[in-house]
Amino acid sequence: MEINILAFKILGDDRGSLISIEQSKNIPFDIKRVYYIFGTKQNIRRGFHAHKKLKQVAVCISGSCKFLLDNGETKKTTLLNRPDKGLLINDMIWHEMYNFSSDCVLMVLADDFYDENDYIRNYDEFLKVVNG
Ligand code: T46
């Protein structure tokens, strides 16, 4: 399993930096929803699910956190600690987030609206579905 990191071009000048995110240009889908996670307490792990259809890109716009991605065969971890890097989270990838810094703001761009029915929150069920 490849970890797919998107590199956003840093724009700006001597006043500072700016990143522009545009659907279907530097994000590989149309964006229907944006949410962000912040104020996560120390030693908390979040996520623990896969999405049946949803595709997402996660960007740590402040601070850092780690992701574990699992396709049912392979598990990989990656550190997000730069606002110019986005992690593509495809459908049917079990993911967990952990090691949140106190200043972490994790922004997530999603290709659909919130739908609890799209979540698989049980790992054994995930393995059954992903392995056919
Ligand atoms: C994901 C990872 C990266 C909503 O009402 N609307 C929303 O758009 C979202 C994302 C969540 N919620 C509600 C559902 C729960 O009652 O907010 C509460 C916290 O959500 P959850 O426990 O799913 O949060 P995380 O951090 O475990 O997972 C979130 C996203 O839900 C998920 O899609 O991929 O971040």
Side-chain angles (χ1 to χ4, degrees):
M1 177 185 52
E2 296 286 314
I3 295 264
N4 201 335
I5 299 284
L6 310 178
F8 305 125
K9 188 175 179 191
I10 302 180
L11 308 168
D13 47 37
D14 52 10
R15 295 168 301 168
S17 304
L18 183 154
I19 288 172
S20 168
I21 289 181
E22 296 182 297
Q23 65 179 23
S24 302
K25 289 191 177 172
N26 53 0
I27 297 292
F29 50 73
D30 284 357
I31 300 161
K32 274 201 183 161
R33 179 167 52 108
V34 177
Y35 60 90
Y36 35 95
I37 293 168
F38 56 98
T40 306
K41 300 199 173 81
Q42 279 221 313
N43 302 319
I44 289 289
R45 279 179 99 95
R46 308 184 62 126
F48 294 96
H49 60 256
H51 286 284
K52 294 174 193 164
K53 291 190 179 153
L54 192 74
K55 294 188 188 340
Q56 305 186 100
V57 170
V59 186
C60 223
I61 53 177
S62 166
S64 63
C65 70
K66 284 188 170 173
F67 264 82
L68 176 144
L69 300 183
D70 176 352
N71 65 1
E73 275 183 8
T74 314
K75 295 183 206 295
K76 286 206 173 156
T77 61
T78 191
L79 173 70
L80 286 188
N81 61 355
R82 296 172 57 137
D84 61 334
K85 297 279 185 271
L87 172 66
L88 180 65
I89 309 167
N90 272 320
D91 53 297
M92 292 310 293
I93 298 291
W94 185 267
H95 50 284
E96 298 172 20
M97 301 89 82
Y98 59 103
N99 276 15
F100 286 86
S101 63
S102 56
D103 58 346
C104 179
V105 181
L106 179 66
M107 178 180 73
V108 184
L109 315 169
D111 77 347
D112 211 346
F113 301 118
Y114 174 69
D115 177 7
E116 186 58 38
N117 293 321
D118 186 64
Y119 286 71
I120 301 177
R121 293 190 183 271
N122 177 291
Y123 189 69
D124 290 337
E125 186 191 340
F126 163 72
L127 288 180
K128 270 189 204 154
V129 175
V130 86
N131 294 319

